[in-house]
Amino acid sequence: MLHGDISSSNDTVGVAVVNYKMPRLHTKAEVLDNARKIADMIIGMKTGLPGMDLLIFHEYSTQGIMYDSKEMYETASMVPGEETEIFAEACRKAKVWGVFSLTGERHEEHPKKAPYNTLILMNDKGEIVQKYRKIMPWVPIEGWYPGNCTYVSEGPKGLKVSLIICDDGNYPEIWRDCAMRGAELIVRCQGYMYPAKDQQVVMAKAMAWANNCYVAVANAAGFDGVYSYFGHSAIIGFDGRTLGECGEEDYGVQYAQLSKTLIRDARKTGQSENHLFKLLHRGYTGKINSGEGDRGVAACPYEFYSKWIADPEGTREMVESFTRSTVGTEECPIEGIPSKKVAHR
């Protein structure tokens, strides 16, 4: 893990994250103009960072947040489509990979159903390698249709990459799912605003440590007339320490080199803090001392996860019993969100 230079090597993947200023757009033409602005930035960044293999823009960076529902549906993108072709041309020209936001992407039943909140990983040939749809939309404000799975793809120089989006990153389950599927770099693109700055900075570092993985966070900066975004895009090592972190400035950039050899060696040879290995080899020292073999315990000891898989509706009712039974609250009503208390079925 290296920070401070502008190069990379055969072993290291040069990664850049951008505090792109949150745009406030209303029409398809404005979206495409903004996509071209992002493409121009790609070319410029590659000039200044010749070792850059992968650059990452935040959630909503392409379309902005469409607070008007009609505008949201009218500007929803096709993937592939006009926006992705603009990005593809820039990636081919700069010879870099990119992570781009399509917020939103048209649902298969558009316009009958809400669009998805989508990220794509694009290679240096302009091909879409991964398309991830946000599993945990930021309810009650976001109205995106939820996705249903994570992905791991071979990224630049063979580094294994997973994409997640904003509020996804508040749930340890998604980080673990990506890491246990082999992700070495988890990219979290977010459009996170105040007052949640401290929590999000801490979460990214903690999840890098807990999952022995690199984390790259790209977050919005600026004010879009509704929210103020805190930036702090960052690149974090698999030991949970920050390699580089932006402040709150518009268009801030951070860059670091992520070693493939180092993370793979750590996951193979680490002892006391090898969390991925130890989770499936629980208590192996005590088992050895008890004459019960040398592999520890593999069985899941967590009742909640077993119950969730076997009985999702029953588990939902269990959680409602100590939280609430309606999606909204009577204390802070939000238009369109049911808040009247109802009895369980």
Side-chain angles (χ1 to χ4, degrees), residues 84-96:
T84 62
E85 185 48 44
I86 291 170
F87 299 145
E89 183 178 356
C91 286
R92 288 191 291 264
K93 184 174 181 179
K95 297 182 174 59
V96 297

Side-chain angles (χ1 to χ4, degrees), residues 13 20 25 47 61 64 82 110 150 164 166 174 190 193 221 248 271-272 286 301 306 308 317 327-328 330 332:
V13 178
Y20 195 72
L25 310 172
T47 301
S61 55
E82 294 176 277
H110 183 81
T150 63
I164 67 172
C166 203
I174 194 168
Q190 57 193 51
M193 65 294 287
E248 300 178 15
Q271 295 280 344
S272 62
S306 300
W308 188 6
E317 292 193 6
V327 292
E330 294 177 322
C332 184

